[in-house]
Amino acid sequence: MSSEPRPASPPAEPLLRVEGLTKHFPVLKGFLRRRVGTVRAVDDVSFTLGRKKTLAVVGESGCGKTTAGRALLRLVEPDKGHVWFRGKDVPTLGADELRDMRRHMQIIFQDPFSSLNPRHTIGQIVGRPLVLHGVAANMVEAEEQVRDLLARVGLQPKYISRYPHEFSGGQRQRIGIARAIALRPDFVVCDEAVSALDVSVRAQVLNLLMDLQEEFGLSYVFVTHDLSVVRHIADDVVVMYLGQIVERAPRDSLFARPSHPYTQALLSAAPEPDPAKRRKRIVLAGDVPSPMNVPSGCRFHTRCPLAFDRCRVDTPAQHTVADGHVVACHLYEGRIEPIDLAAAVADRAAV
Ligand code: SF4
């Protein structure tokens, strides 16, 4: 018998592979709708999502995270890039193929008040995708499945004939979740799905999403600005700033050793229940620049307390600082230890 080590099995193919995703919006002005600028909402974004995993996409408002999430499903059409899913590149699909693919990829919206048609009953809202995709022949046939789905998301099946306005915010979000999982998708984009909910309801809905992930083998891209949600639900995290990923890491690695100056500032502003882990608050100067007018070089240089000449000219490459942990910052050329932004800011102030 050969004593040769057996070749390692190839890494499992991720459920979703995103490469170079880009979406720019024209800015039009005047009667003739002349193009006067470009909003660079998402610029060359790449990541992978594993099966039964949750990838959180975080950043301040305007960083492009919502556009990125919607571009995955082509709810906004990407300009460039690939979204590999179930062996196909989603941006290249024709209308029929895309409709079939949508069965496997769904979205839960932020606002449970506006995402449900007020003139439709809950039975119609949740049952309609089943009929559209031929899972049920008609709404009568869909009814049994809708009752099951309502029960599965913690709502009483007898609510099937009620209208959205008869429910609380948390209940409406459960209805949105029932609609999203009705077709048993592989992958769901949760677009700030718990941001509009009270804190106690938020925890219940997050726990429901985690239970459903376990039961149905779902993968989530969770778009959020809330780091406590990230801590609760994510396996992996990407941090976005002005349309680009500045840091990408497994969740525990990101919270244990945030490396990009922007990530360190974000985390320093987040509530930390453990006093021993509280970070010194780092307040960034100025506001996020307009995505119509992104800074040259490193896009964060106008607010980065550690920016130096090269940052204004050269776009930083991505540097690996730990297993699966990547940072786009010149300071990590030949370095893996996280810089201490708070200390560096204090030192500079003392000079
Ligand atoms: Fe700051 Fe320069 Fe790093 Fe950008 S590349 S985060 S400006 S130090």
Side-chain angles (χ1 to χ4, degrees):
M1 204 158 69
S2 165
S3 59
E4 294 256 311
R6 285 166 53 173
S9 46
E13 186 59 20
L15 178 76
L16 185 80
R17 179 185 297 282
V18 178
E19 292 167 357
L21 192 69
T22 298
K23 178 66 188 176
H24 295 172
F25 294 101
V27 180
L28 307 173
K29 207 172 168 194
F31 180 67
L32 295 174
R33 312 298 290 151
R34 266 190 323 111
R35 184 174 185 144
V36 293
T38 301
V39 171
R40 297 171 69 172
V42 179
D43 243 345
D44 199 14
V45 161
S46 301
F47 58 81
T48 58
L49 173 66
R51 287 170 202 279
K52 270 181 88 169
K53 296 287 184 194
T54 299
L55 174 85
V57 181
V58 295
E60 292 165 289
S61 111
C63 71
K65 57 190 188 300
T66 287
T67 305
R70 293 181 181 201
L72 299 177
L73 309 187
R74 284 180 59 190
L75 296 177
V76 295
E77 284 291 343
D79 297 328
K80 267 200 291 186
H82 304 283
V83 180
W84 295 103
F85 177 62
R86 294 177 74 91
K88 302 216 165 132
D89 188 13
V90 176
T92 66
L93 298 181
D96 290 347
E97 276 187 305
L98 180 61
R99 201 194 59 234
D100 290 346
M101 192 63 101
R102 285 255 167 83
R103 181 177 172 161
H104 306 290
M105 49 204 313
Q106 292 285 322
I107 185 164
I108 301 166
F109 293 100
Q110 171 177 6
D111 186 356
F113 294 88
S114 64
S115 65
L116 305 177
N117 188 327
R119 290 191 294 277
H120 287 178
T121 64
I122 302 317
Q124 289 169 316
I125 289 168
V126 179
R128 196 171 144 75
L130 296 168
V131 176
L132 273 179
H133 286 271
V135 176
N138 50 48
M139 291 304 280
V140 177
E141 206 182 293
E143 191 176 315
E144 201 47 45
Q145 293 181 56
V146 173
R147 288 179 189 278
D148 283 351
L149 283 162
L150 292 182
R152 189 59 206 80
V153 299
L155 293 171
Q156 298 209 30
K158 68 180 183 193
Y159 292 162
I160 193 167
S161 307
R162 295 195 182 175
Y163 289 85
H165 73 267
E166 298 177 72
F167 294 90
S168 67
Q171 287 174 318
R172 288 187 213 201
Q173 201 53 303
R174 287 174 190 269
I175 296 163
I177 293 169
R179 176 177 59 184
I181 64 166
L183 293 164
R184 300 285 188 269
D186 298 315
F187 153 56
V188 179
V189 173
C190 302
D191 182 7
E192 298 276 14
V194 295
S195 304
L197 306 177
D198 292 342
V199 175
S200 60
V201 181
R202 189 179 303 171
Q204 291 167 12
V205 173
L206 283 177
N207 289 337
L208 170 64
L209 288 168
M210 291 167 83
D211 289 348
L212 294 171
Q213 177 168 55
E214 196 54 40
E215 185 175 345
F216 298 120
L218 293 168
S219 301
Y220 295 126
V221 166
F222 213 99
V223 173
T224 182
H225 66 279
D226 186 339
L227 287 163
S228 59
V229 169
V230 175
R231 211 188 270 274
H232 193 72
I233 201 166
D235 295 295
D236 297 289
V237 187
V238 298
V239 181
M240 285 187 69
Y241 184 81
L242 272 182
Q244 292 188 321
I245 292 176
V246 295
E247 187 157 1
R248 174 163 48 86
R251 176 197 56 189
D252 292 345
S253 189
L254 188 98
F255 281 97
R257 41 176 304 155
S259 299
H260 195 281
Y262 177 63
T263 313
Q264 290 194 10
L266 263 191
L267 260 58
S268 80
E272 171 53 65
D274 181 351
K277 291 187 183 162
R278 270 186 208 140
R279 298 165 199 276
K280 189 166 170 18
R281 178 85 196 263
I282 302 160
V283 180
L284 293 173
D287 294 323
V288 183
S290 163
M292 259 180 79
N293 196 11
V294 297
S296 58
C298 172
R299 292 185 182 187
F300 186 54
H301 85 250
T302 55
R303 300 174 79 205
C304 180
L306 303 181
F308 52 107
D309 288 349
R310 186 178 167 198
C311 304
R312 289 176 254 286
V313 184
D314 289 348
T315 303
Q318 300 208 332
H319 302 286
T320 299
V321 294
D323 196 16
H325 192 151
V326 174
V327 191
C329 169
H330 294 311
L331 295 173
Y332 290 91
E333 239 174 44
R335 169 195 183 111
I336 57 171
E337 277 312 303
I339 48 151
D340 183 342
L341 181 59
V345 170
D347 282 354
R348 287 196 177 187
V351 172

